[in-house]
Amino acid sequence: MIDKGMLITVSGPSGSGKGTVLGELVKKRDDVKISVSMTTRQNRNGEIDGINYYFVSKEYFEKKINEGSMLEYAQYAGNYYGTPKEPVDEMLKAGKAVILEIDVQGADKIKEIYPDVIRIFIMPPSASVLERRLRGRNTEDEETINHRLVIAKGEMKMASEYDFIVINDKLDSAVKDVETIIDAERLKASRNKIFLSEVINNV
Ligand code: 5GP
């Protein structure tokens, strides 16, 4: 029995495929949960409210900030994105590995609040693959794509400060890499202090 859940942030540029990696991971693992973020951006084709994001108005988002209900939030490409606090705390209490899929600014804020957070950065295998994936979505205009490429470069410059890098070339192996990180973290002595003292005290 591990002491409690663990918090993980997963960052990576738009087009790194982090959403796909995490979607596959939660299908395989019952002990891993993804926090659903709130955003003021428009939903893209196929995105479902309450599953991909909670899509809300700017006024509603600002009300939640003022009420202190957001664990963190950031502005990205003109929209708010943030993590509602209460569900995260509940999943951690239930012993889950809780993943926050957030940008690098958000990951920095989480590190201040939860110093033992595990930070993973998902990288595309190359710059050309990143650009192809962004264009392949066909959901954004040229100006938005170029803006996202500039942001992506800035984000990837931060990758070396993360705890782990996962390269999303082949989906299966990227998913396996994230599982390996979670499994190794669960085995850390520092995450098993209650178990250790229970056994030792019963000898
Ligand atoms: P997208 O519009 O491509 O879904 O997301 C844009 C950026 O916002 C991504 O870098 C994504 O990781 C980030 N993001 C999504 N949810 C959150 C959140 O709850 N908090 C923060 N700080 N960033 C988020």
Side-chain angles (χ1 to χ4, degrees):
M1 238 326 247
I2 63 149
D3 296 353
K4 57 179 167 52
M6 67 176 93
L7 193 63
I8 302 164
T9 58
V10 173
S11 305
S14 188
S16 62
K18 58 188 183 302
T20 313
V21 172
L22 296 180
E24 288 302 308
L25 176 67
V26 288
K27 276 193 217 158
K28 288 175 78 179
R29 300 274 299 235
D30 205 37
D31 62 324
V32 180
K33 300 286 171 205
I34 298 181
S35 150
V36 179
S37 294
M38 203 178 271
T39 183
T40 59
R41 88 150 155 73
Q42 291 290 314
N43 59 338
R44 296 192 192 114
N45 276 349
E47 285 182 333
I48 300 166
D49 186 39
I51 299 217
N52 303 93
Y53 282 107
Y54 295 106
F55 296 99
V56 301
S57 67
K58 188 166 174 262
E59 292 69 32
Y60 184 83
F61 201 113
E62 286 174 347
K63 181 168 159 260
K64 290 289 158 193
I65 296 171
N66 294 333
E67 285 172 358
S69 313
M70 305 307 286
L71 188 56
E72 61 74 42
Y73 67 94
Q75 294 210 40
Y76 175 94
N79 284 300
Y80 282 120
Y81 292 81
T83 308
K85 187 172 183 325
E86 202 182 312
V88 171
D89 288 342
E90 275 169 17
M91 289 185 285
L92 286 175
K93 253 188 248 154
K96 305 292 181 188
V98 182
I99 297 185
L100 310 184
E101 185 191 337
I102 58 178
D103 71 345
V104 294
Q105 307 163 57
D108 282 351
K109 284 185 210 155
I110 295 292
K111 178 79 182 167
E112 283 167 24
I113 309 167
Y114 295 93
D116 64 352
V117 62
I118 303 141
R119 291 175 304 164
I120 302 175
F121 196 93
I122 310 267
M123 281 290 290
S126 66
S128 56
V129 170
L130 176 72
E131 185 164 350
R132 198 178 335 126
R133 284 181 187 162
L134 277 177
R135 290 188 184 283
R137 267 183 192 164
N138 276 332
T139 51
E140 273 119 345
D141 57 27
E142 189 65 22
E143 192 189 342
T144 308
I145 289 169
N146 286 334
H147 189 198
R148 281 177 181 262
L149 280 170
V150 172
I151 295 173
K153 186 167 185 172
E155 287 175 334
M156 290 189 292
K157 282 185 187 161
M158 311 293 289
S160 61
E161 289 173 24
Y162 278 63
D163 300 313
F164 297 97
I165 298 293
V166 169
I167 300 168
N168 182 20
D169 187 4
K170 300 235 172 0
L171 180 61
D172 283 358
S173 96
V175 173
K176 188 87 208 84
D177 285 347
V178 179
E179 287 193 272
T180 302
I181 294 165
I182 293 171
D183 292 339
E185 282 291 333
R186 284 210 190 276
L187 297 175
K188 271 194 177 160
S190 60
R191 291 190 188 274
N192 288 276
K193 284 183 186 150
I194 295 174
F195 164 76
L196 288 171
S197 64
E198 269 172 13
V199 174
I200 292 160
N201 291 336
N202 280 311
V203 172

